[in-house]
């Protein structure tokens, strides 16, 4: 039996701000229980809903030194869907209405979390063979293991994997302050270790000291070795090339299943979508106050509204996208300029555009089920889950060929009748617009071909089973 401990800053169903939480919540239950004992450790935030807090059981408590501070660590435990979850309790660090705050607070909060997570293992009587760290918030775990924890024989054989979900977020802060906060030996703060461009960088430390590094798609693993995608760490990624692996994220096929999904208007399957899927479109048109018309080409966007997601391309040609035969449904929050952009177009074309500037899980499921196409023109996309959801719901993705989008959406080839979606290569608004027009042409004039694209998309398997096998290989290798 191999013991694997996932350490992360968020996890569904307890706390979620993005795709990281989906991965940490879904992946652990997909391993063979006879071979792997996979457990998860996250902070016990004050903003975790009470329904979960009430089920947690007190396990132990102790105090740790964080440089010159002495801090309380409580460990709570809970079983959920066959997986053991541990919660690190400290009200000084984990209070507040949301999991993350200002970066200078987060830097200390997650230094504490990393040290507390490692310190708790002997008292939990749990010795992981591999600690699987996720993103910069856990970047100090491999560093601590090579520093002060090295003296304790309990820790000597523990291996680490660092998974990068988005290289843009690295946990960068003032070098002297980080030395003071973490208590890590000064020799670690050099340019080949924790220091980067004059500051301390948590993610860099994790990448340097982890035994293996993974990222969430094959293409992204290649892209981050180049300056454009490498976020100033491309040299380090090239240096760690021999231990860098891309494993595409999976999707929870139980939660995202159009046959059983309780959140959508009308359930359907790969066999019945030709008849039933349209009923979701009619119901959404009615609910959102759009023109109720089967003949409109409905495009969905469910996203953080930021530059990374390619919305400057949408901004550039939105007038052409909102043509008379098209409806655009947007869900998400983010940069003000994009929130205002979509609100303005909803005001201008109220029967064609619906701007839902908030986040709602229920509304997102309805959009995946109702739309004809789903637009993701990202500048970069480590993996992306939205295109996997849209394939699952028979909504044809229109994507830019980058990262996980390139790995999961096969572009339509009309000559060989292949493909599960539409894609364009260059980061160019008119190239995107032409691809949307091409998709519309197939939708309106070659309906049988369109339905075959849906058939192929719904037949794809992007469940966690495949990815779990690849992670299991890495664990065995370590």
């Amino acid at each position: 039996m191999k013991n694997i401990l996932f350490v992360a800053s968020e996890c569904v169903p307890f706390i979620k701000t993005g795709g990281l939480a989906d991965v940490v919540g879904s992946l652990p239950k997909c391993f063979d229980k006879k071979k792997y004992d996979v457990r998860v450790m996250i902070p016990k935030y004050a903003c975790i809903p009470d329904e979960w807090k009430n089920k947690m059981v007190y396990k132990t408590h102790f105090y740790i030194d964080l440089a010159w501070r002495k801090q309380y660590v409580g460990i709570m435990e809970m079983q959920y869907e066959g997986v053991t979850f541990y919660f690190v309790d400290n009200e000084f660090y984990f209070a507040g209405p949301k999991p993350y705050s200002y970066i200078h607070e987060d830097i200390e909060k997650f230094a504490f979390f990393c040290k507390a997570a490692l310190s708790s293992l002997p008292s939990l009587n749990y010795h992981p063979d591999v600690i699987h760290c996720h993103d910069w918030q856990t970047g100090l775990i491999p560093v601590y293991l090579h520093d002060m924890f090295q003296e304790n024989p309990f820790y000597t054989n523990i291996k680490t994997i660092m998974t990068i979900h988005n290289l843009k977020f690295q946990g960068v802060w003032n070098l002297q302050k980080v030395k003071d906060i973490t208590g890590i030996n000064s020799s670690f703060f050099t340019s080949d270790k924790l220091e980067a461009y004059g500051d301390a960088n948590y993610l860099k430390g994790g990448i340097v000291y982890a035994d293996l590094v993974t990222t969430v798609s094959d293409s992204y693993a290649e892209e981050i070795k180049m300056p454009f995608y490498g976020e100033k760490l491309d040299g380090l990624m090239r240096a760690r090339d021999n231990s860098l692996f891309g494993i595409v994220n999976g999707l929870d096929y139980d939660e995202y299943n159009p046959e059983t999904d309780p959140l959508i208007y009308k359930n359907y399957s790969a066999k019945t979508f030709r008849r039933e899927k349209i009923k979701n479109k009619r119901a959404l048109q009615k609910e959102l106050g759009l023109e109720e018309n089967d003949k409109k080409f409905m495009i969905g966007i469910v996203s953080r509204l930021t530059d990374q997601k390619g919305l400057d391309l949408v901004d550039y040609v939105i007038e052409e996208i909102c043509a008379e035969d098209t409806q655009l449904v947007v869900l998400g929050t983010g940069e003000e300029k994009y929130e205002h952009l979509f609100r303005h177009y909803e005001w201008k074309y109220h029967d064609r555009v619906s701007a839902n500037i908030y986040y709602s899980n229920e509304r997102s499921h309805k959009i995946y089920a109702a739309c004809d196409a789903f637009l993701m023109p990202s500048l970069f996309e480590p993996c992306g889950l939205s295109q996997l959801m849209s394939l699952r719901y028979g909504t044809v993705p229109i994507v830019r060929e980058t990262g996980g989008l390139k790995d999961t959406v096969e572009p339509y080839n009309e000559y060989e009748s292949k493909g599960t979606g539409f894609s364009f290569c260059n980061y160019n608004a008119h190239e995107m617009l032409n691809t949307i027009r091409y998709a519309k042409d197939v939708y309106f004039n070659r309906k049988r071909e369109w339905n075959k694209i849906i058939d192929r998309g719904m037949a794809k398997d992007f469940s966690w089973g495949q990815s779990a096998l690849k992670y299991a290989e890495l664990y065995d290798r370590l």
Side-chain angles (χ1 to χ4, degrees):
M1 174 74 87
K2 294 188 177 72
N3 293 336
I4 314 294
L5 179 67
F6 278 53
V7 185
S9 59
E10 54 183 88
C11 171
V12 295
F14 312 107
I15 189 86
K16 172 179 172 172
T17 67
L20 165 65
D22 291 305
V23 176
V24 179
S26 310
L27 180 55
K29 57 189 180 196
C30 300
F31 291 96
D32 182 344
K33 297 271 193 290
K34 294 188 188 73
K35 293 184 189 166
Y36 303 95
D37 177 6
V38 183
R39 305 185 187 185
V40 181
M41 187 175 281
I42 65 168
K44 180 178 177 274
Y45 299 108
C47 52
I48 292 176
D50 286 341
E51 63 168 307
W52 302 117
K53 282 191 201 159
N54 296 338
K55 293 176 183 165
M56 295 176 192
V57 182
Y58 168 82
K59 202 71 183 144
T60 182
H61 79 275
F62 51 92
Y63 288 83
I64 61 168
D65 295 324
L66 193 62
W68 48 271
R69 308 157 187 76
K70 211 169 187 61
Q71 294 289 7
Y72 168 85
V73 181
I75 303 289
M76 311 292 277
E77 185 185 36
M78 178 180 159
Q79 302 292 326
Y80 178 73
E81 293 188 343
V83 178
T84 302
F85 288 86
Y86 296 116
F87 301 86
V88 176
D89 185 22
N90 177 303
E91 291 190 356
F92 175 70
Y93 288 120
F94 302 130
K98 42 187 206 292
Y100 310 120
S101 56
Y102 299 108
I103 182 70
H104 65 274
E105 292 177 7
D106 286 348
I107 285 289
E108 183 172 336
K109 175 194 298 182
F110 290 111
F112 163 78
F113 174 58
C114 290
K115 194 166 184 187
L118 287 171
S119 304
S120 67
L121 297 175
S123 53
L124 290 173
N125 214 4
Y126 178 67
H127 185 279
D129 298 295
V130 178
I131 298 180
H132 192 156
C133 311
H134 295 265
D135 270 354
W136 75 262
Q137 292 90 347
T138 57
L140 289 186
I141 285 179
V143 183
Y144 274 130
L145 275 174
H146 279 81
D147 185 24
M148 53 197 69
F149 286 87
Q150 200 62 52
E151 297 153 14
N152 184 335
F154 179 89
Y155 295 95
T156 40
N157 293 322
I158 295 177
K159 302 290 185 193
T160 52
I161 291 182
M162 188 79 222
T163 293
I164 303 165
H165 293 266
N166 190 338
L167 192 61
K168 195 172 176 65
F169 305 108
Q170 298 177 5
V172 176
W173 194 242
N174 178 284
L175 196 76
Q176 287 311 120
K177 296 252 170 57
V178 171
K179 271 188 193 175
D180 172 66
I181 288 166
T182 59
I184 290 171
N185 191 306
S186 295
S187 64
F188 283 78
F189 292 90
T190 55
S191 58
D192 58 338
K193 300 185 177 86
L194 267 167
E195 185 270 338
Y197 303 97
D199 286 317
N201 183 319
Y202 279 29
L203 183 64
K204 183 181 176 185
I207 295 168
V208 168
Y209 282 103
D211 295 290
L212 294 177
V213 182
T214 72
T215 183
V216 286
S217 67
D218 287 321
S219 292
Y220 192 61
E222 290 304 314
E223 285 173 350
I224 57 178
K225 296 174 200 165
M226 298 185 273
F228 183 80
Y229 295 99
E231 303 289 347
K232 294 183 172 177
L233 293 182
D234 50 291
L236 175 60
M237 301 322 301
R238 291 194 294 276
R240 294 237 54 188
D241 183 30
N242 63 338
S243 44
L244 175 65
F245 299 86
I247 299 176
V248 87
N249 278 342
L251 193 64
D252 188 329
Y253 267 37
D254 298 329
E255 185 185 346
Y256 294 97
N257 183 355
E259 279 188 79
T260 57
D261 191 339
L263 301 176
I264 65 178
Y265 305 104
K266 182 75 187 166
N267 293 111
Y268 58 93
S269 66
K271 290 194 180 79
T272 63
F273 78 85
R274 287 170 174 78
R275 261 195 338 275
E276 304 294 339
K277 185 169 165 39
I278 189 79
K279 294 173 184 172
N280 287 287
K281 182 174 171 179
R282 289 171 191 152
L284 189 66
Q285 284 173 335
K286 186 168 184 179
E287 185 178 322
L288 299 178
L290 299 170
E291 183 188 334
E292 293 174 47
N293 183 343
D294 293 357
K295 296 273 190 291
K296 298 285 185 187
F297 182 67
M298 188 185 272
I299 300 175
I301 296 177
V302 177
S303 173
R304 282 185 295 120
L305 305 181
T306 64
D307 286 337
Q308 180 209 325
K309 300 296 183 184
L311 296 177
D312 47 340
L313 301 188
V314 176
D315 186 1
Y316 202 74
V317 292
I318 189 165
E319 196 66 62
E320 288 98 324
I321 292 174
C322 304
E324 288 183 5
D325 57 2
T326 308
Q327 291 178 334
L328 181 65
V329 181
V330 181
L331 173 68
T333 60
E335 293 174 26
E336 261 184 28
K337 60 180 174 182
Y338 296 126
E339 294 186 355
H340 293 330
L341 171 78
F342 292 122
R343 282 196 185 106
H344 171 75
Y345 274 86
E346 179 181 56
W347 167 79
K348 188 173 181 182
Y349 300 122
H350 58 87
D351 59 340
R352 293 184 220 163
V353 181
S354 172
N356 306 274
I357 308 300
Y358 52 85
Y359 185 72
S360 152
N361 186 41
E362 183 180 340
R363 177 66 51 90
S364 75
H365 281 249
K366 287 177 176 174
I367 292 172
Y368 289 120
C371 289
D372 299 303
F374 191 87
L375 183 61
M376 284 185 82
S378 304
L379 175 64
F380 65 94
E381 192 64 67
C383 177
L385 292 173
S386 296
Q387 82 280 12
L388 304 182
M389 294 169 195
S390 60
L391 286 168
R392 179 79 167 137
Y393 282 82
T395 297
V396 177
I398 301 173
V399 303
R400 189 173 96 79
E401 292 168 17
T402 179
L405 302 178
K406 185 179 178 182
D407 292 345
T408 53
V409 178
E410 184 191 345
Y412 172 58
N413 179 335
E414 61 182 76
Y415 305 104
E416 297 176 24
S417 195
K418 283 180 173 171
T420 57
F422 295 83
S423 67
F424 60 100
C425 182
N426 295 305
Y427 194 68
N428 178 300
H430 285 91
E431 203 168 315
M432 175 186 75
L433 184 64
N434 289 337
T435 307
I436 293 172
R437 286 180 173 156
Y438 179 37
K440 277 187 352 194
D441 177 60
V442 177
Y443 175 78
F444 286 121
N445 303 322
R446 286 173 274 173
K447 198 66 179 183
R448 270 189 79 184
E449 278 295 300
W450 183 267
N451 285 337
K452 283 186 197 163
I453 295 173
I454 296 177
D455 280 330
R456 290 190 290 270
M458 290 184 84
K460 286 280 185 196
D461 180 10
F462 288 110
S463 61
W464 272 112
Q466 302 300 315
S467 313
L469 290 173
K470 290 183 181 169
Y471 279 115
E473 272 175 38
L474 294 185
Y475 300 151
D476 294 349
R477 181 175 166 164
L478 284 175

